[in-house]
Amino acid sequence: MRGVGLGISALLLVAAVTVALWPLKDRPARERATRESPPLNVEREALAQRSGALLDEIVFLRETDLGRVTGLIESGSHQLFSQGISSPTVVNRLRDSVHADHDLAYGTSSELTLNPAGPELADGSLNPFALPTIREALNWLIDRRHVAEEIYGGLAVPRTLPLSTAFPDYARLAEVARELELRYAHDPERAREAIDAGMRELGARREAGLWTWRGEPVRLRLLIRTEDERRRVGDYLANLLEDEGFEVERRYRTAEEASRLWIATDPAAGHWHLYTGAWISIVIQRDQADNFSFYYTPRGRAEPLWQAYRPAPEFDALAERLSRRDYASWGERQAMMARALELALEDASRVWLVDQLNASARAANVEVAADLAGGVSGSALWPYTLRYTDRLGGRMVVGLPGLLGEPWNPVAGSNWAFDRMITRATQDPVVLPDPYTGLYHPQRITRAEVAVEQGVPVEHTLEWLEVTREASIAVPDEAWIDWNALHGRFITPPSRPFEATSEAGGSSPPTLW
């Protein structure tokens, strides 16, 4: 097994070729082993004198088999696993183990990523998902409740919208959300009618129960992740599509193997049509207004897939305004969000499936500040808080589902959760998010001031940030307001009139899972 080590005290990456063994000690009961509070007076003097992290070294090892997690912790070879676990079998094993414990998180979602290129791809084949109405039809074809209850064993809830069901915006827009969930509820007959109409619009014919185009069967390449329940989700989807008359090639891939296709290649090349994707919000997102721009427009990411998105003009403009918080009142914002949700379901470049309840596994004598949304892998506080409860320092082995999924560039680098977890430990942010509220607290500053134009809808919460209201805010002539890619230079207000907007701040973009 290949490993990558991180010496936290020096914040240097080192090679790891050996595994530390933690000798297990007999304990009379699980209650004492897992719930006993760490002694408050353990090495107080040493703690006061220590600078940096509470461990001496952390070794990261790749481990893709979640069925081994409990056993590896119990044997002492691993002390922490970053991947969120949504398997009821594994979660029950963790719950019953004397030597293991876990933390719960609510920020992971599963979805279907669709290839929008075409309709004719570079290899001369047909891509049905170039047509928005066929993408939209998958919302009716898939039974989300079946996915949540049968495939995820109840450790998930159905999700239809590009809003997390666990975050505030879903509650704020509950009435709109419920209406859209009912409109797009499981309806296989309606799905079949929409698919049939769309395929005939593309010039396809159904012969002997199979769709053909230019005399050849319409063949779909489905990328199916193998590390978790998405393998079963992919098989379930493949069966549904085969029932609708498509040939389906099931391509089982790990995260790294799949990313070389759905992220790295031009969608028009036709290497894939659907991908069983997942995302993790590393913090509680109190404002998800930028989700539309991130998930459905070329502004979301620089990769070829995002650059192939062609949202309807109304949806594109609305998503761009919401990402800038360009609204004059809270009521206007809510109306914009409601319309954007409707347009997102019509666009359907992504078909949302479920929001998951994930468990992050750890040894019983390990403590870490896990985020209520992002778990351990998404926690901004894990480098500062990861420790043994019975001693300072030491070496800890952390299991990850993958390593170096993409290059760790400081600019536009890997967005995979397990890559970001490691690189996050090499940084020292000015502010850190509260793992239970998503509000940011100062770490390397004591206070801050921000001036907001009068009338802009902004809420003020924590006292370390002082908010003042101004009648108007002049934009300095030397400010950079945009980038001219053609001429390779920044755009300043004198070169283009600048219209002030009611931008009230953003949120952390979701991370690949």
Side-chain angles (χ1 to χ4, degrees):
M1 184 179 295
R2 293 178 299 151
V4 175
L6 178 63
I8 293 294
S9 59
L11 294 181
L12 296 175
L13 294 174
V14 298
V17 294
T18 60
V19 178
L21 295 177
W22 168 45
L24 295 178
K25 299 179 180 179
D26 294 331
R27 301 182 186 185
R30 170 172 170 79
E31 191 69 23
R32 178 180 174 184
T34 61
R35 310 195 189 284
E36 182 176 296
S37 300
L40 297 178
N41 58 350
V42 169
E43 303 183 45
R44 279 185 176 273
E45 183 177 348
L47 180 60
Q49 295 176 355
R50 189 178 182 91
S51 61
L54 300 174
L55 294 169
D56 299 320
E57 183 183 28
I58 300 179
V59 178
F60 291 93
L61 297 176
R62 186 171 181 268
E63 178 54 64
T64 60
D65 187 353
L66 294 180
R68 287 162 42 90
V69 167
T70 307
L72 289 171
I73 291 177
E74 290 178 337
S75 72
S77 68
H78 292 62
Q79 288 75 47
L80 180 70
F81 280 86
S82 71
Q83 182 175 5
I85 300 169
S86 53
S87 164
T89 301
V90 178
V91 172
N92 287 335
R93 288 176 188 165
L94 290 170
R95 182 195 61 194
D96 296 337
S97 173
V98 173
H99 301 289
D101 209 333
H102 62 278
D103 299 288
L104 297 177
Y106 302 82
T108 300
S109 58
S110 293
E111 49 91 26
L112 296 177
T113 300
L114 305 180
N115 182 344
E120 183 174 357
L121 300 174
D123 61 0
S125 65
L126 175 69
N127 177 20
F129 303 116
L131 201 64
T133 54
I134 295 181
R135 300 198 300 263
E136 182 185 23
L138 294 184
N139 283 288
W140 297 302
L141 183 64
I142 297 166
D143 185 348
R144 292 177 172 87
R145 189 161 298 282
H146 169 82
V147 174
E149 296 178 358
E150 299 300 325
I151 296 180
Y152 283 88
L155 293 180
V157 295
R159 172 171 170 173
T160 305
L161 308 173
L163 297 179
S164 170
T165 57
F167 292 167
D169 268 327
Y170 182 79
R172 295 172 185 141
L173 294 157
E175 186 175 344
V176 174
R178 187 55 184 154
E179 191 277 326
L180 290 173
E181 287 165 351
L182 292 173
R183 187 189 307 180
Y184 285 92
H186 180 51
D187 189 342
E189 290 301 321
R190 186 172 181 181
R192 183 169 294 114
E193 292 173 2
I195 292 172
D196 286 356
M199 291 297 289
R200 298 187 192 284
E201 180 182 336
L202 293 171
R205 300 176 60 186
R206 191 161 186 173
E207 301 173 342
L210 292 177
W211 285 108
T212 62
W213 189 67
R214 297 179 180 175
E216 297 293 331
V218 178
R219 187 177 182 84
L220 303 178
R221 298 180 179 93
L222 171 57
L223 294 179
I224 302 176
R225 286 283 295 278
T226 59
E227 302 96 326
D228 51 39
E229 282 67 33
R230 281 176 286 173
R231 184 181 187 113
R232 294 177 59 197
V233 171
D235 286 334
Y236 167 70
L237 176 64
N239 292 339
L240 291 177
L241 292 171
E242 288 170 347
D243 290 343
E244 295 305 316
F246 297 101
E247 282 192 2
V248 180
E249 178 184 345
R250 308 182 192 208
R251 294 187 169 186
Y252 299 98
R253 298 290 188 273
T254 64
E256 295 94 331
E257 293 166 345
S259 68
R260 297 172 196 150
L261 297 174
W262 78 276
I263 288 184
T265 66
D266 183 352
H271 296 302
W272 65 282
H273 296 86
L274 308 97
Y275 167 66
T276 55
W279 298 85
I280 178 172
S281 297
I282 60 175
V283 298
I284 295 173
Q285 293 182 306
R286 301 172 68 86
D287 179 1
Q288 293 189 278
D290 51 4
N291 275 13
F292 306 101
S293 194
F294 179 83
Y295 285 119
Y296 299 93
T297 80
R299 294 181 296 275
R301 285 174 62 85
E303 285 85 2
L305 172 61
W306 273 261
Q307 301 314 303
Y309 289 148
R310 297 293 182 267
E314 180 190 1
F315 186 33
D316 191 31
L318 196 56
E320 195 270 340
R321 285 188 59 197
L322 282 168
S323 70
R324 293 187 291 107
R325 279 59 178 182
D326 182 12
Y327 40 79
S329 67
W330 183 256
E332 182 184 8
R333 188 257 191 195
Q334 295 300 84
M336 292 168 64
M337 290 283 288
R339 179 58 177 159
L341 289 173
E342 187 175 14
L343 294 174
L345 286 164
E346 294 176 3
D347 179 282
S349 293
R350 283 188 167 76
V351 176
W352 299 94
L353 301 177
V354 295
D355 280 332
Q356 301 169 215
L357 175 62
N358 280 344
S360 298
R362 56 180 169 83
N365 69 332
V366 168
E367 273 195 348
V368 64
D371 193 276
L372 199 58
V376 172
S377 65
S379 172
L381 292 174
W382 85 259
Y384 306 92
T385 60
L386 185 61
R387 58 174 289 225
Y388 290 105
T389 59
D390 51 4
R391 62 186 183 275
L392 279 176
R395 184 173 183 265
M396 193 173 291
V397 178
V398 179
L400 300 170
L403 288 167
L404 292 169
E406 293 179 24
W408 292 358
N409 296 337
V411 177
S414 176
N415 191 41
W416 290 97
F418 30 86
D419 285 340
R420 291 286 298 276
M421 176 185 178
I422 300 175
T423 57
R424 197 174 294 121
T426 67
Q427 303 163 356
D428 204 17
V430 173
V431 293
L432 290 169
D434 187 309
Y436 299 108
T437 67
L439 294 171
Y440 283 80
H441 297 268
Q443 192 211 186
R444 301 188 64 81
I445 57 176
T446 56
R447 58 186 299 271
E449 300 176 1
V450 60
V452 181
E453 281 192 354
Q454 293 178 0
V456 172
V458 172
E459 293 183 4
H460 182 206
T461 50
L462 301 180
E463 294 182 355
W464 68 270
L465 179 65
E466 181 181 348
V467 178
T468 60
R469 296 282 182 171
E470 304 287 345
S472 63
I473 299 175
V475 179
D477 288 346
E478 63 273 16
W480 293 344
I481 62 171
D482 209 340
W483 170 256
N484 187 318
L486 180 63
H487 297 95
R489 64 168 181 262
F490 287 101
I491 298 174
T492 58
S495 61
R496 190 178 78 180
F498 179 77
E499 180 181 351
T501 69
S502 58
E503 183 168 352
S507 59
S508 299
T511 302
L512 293 169
W513 186 253

